[in-house]
Amino acid sequence: MRCDIVASGVVEAAKAISVGIPMVVRLEGTNVEKGQEILRNSGLKFTVAKGMKDAAEQVVALAS
C-alpha cells in the first residue's frame, strides 16, 4: 500500500470530521517515510507508531 496516499486520506478525513483527540497511526508499505511526514506535518494530533507493539504502547500512554 502507498502510505503517502493513506496518510493524505487520514489527514483529510480527520479534518473533515474535526477530530479533536490524539490518534495513533501505524503505516507499513511503500512510501512509509513520506506518509509519516504527511502525518507529522498535518498540524493534527497524530502519534506515528513504528509497529503494532509501539502503536499499542502509544495508545496506552495517551490514555493514561
Side-chain angles (χ1 to χ4, degrees), residues 14-15 17-25 43-47 59 62:
K15 287 181 178 179
I17 62 171
S18 300
V19 173
I21 60 171
M23 293 188 298
V24 176
V25 180
L44 299 172
K45 297 177 184 179
F46 289 114
T47 299
V59 168
L62 288 168

Side-chain angles (χ1 to χ4, degrees), residues 40-56:
R40 287 189 182 107
N41 295 330
S42 69
L44 299 172
K45 297 177 184 179
F46 289 114
T47 299
V48 179
K50 296 179 182 173
M52 292 301 285
K53 182 177 187 266
D54 183 44

Side-chain angles (χ1 to χ4, degrees), residues 1-63:
M1 189 69 208
R2 286 194 46 198
C3 294
D4 54 326
I5 301 296
V6 172
S8 294
V10 169
V11 169
E12 283 184 42
K15 287 181 178 179
I17 62 171
S18 300
V19 173
I21 60 171
M23 293 188 298
V24 176
V25 180
R26 183 209 45 115
L27 298 171
E28 187 172 325
T30 306
N31 295 336
V32 69
E33 293 86 10
K34 190 182 274 189
Q36 291 172 341
E37 183 179 332
I38 290 168
L39 293 171
R40 287 189 182 107
N41 295 330
S42 69
L44 299 172
K45 297 177 184 179
F46 289 114
T47 299
V48 179
K50 296 179 182 173
M52 292 301 285
K53 182 177 187 266
D54 183 44
E57 290 169 348
Q58 294 294 337
V59 168
V60 170
L62 288 168

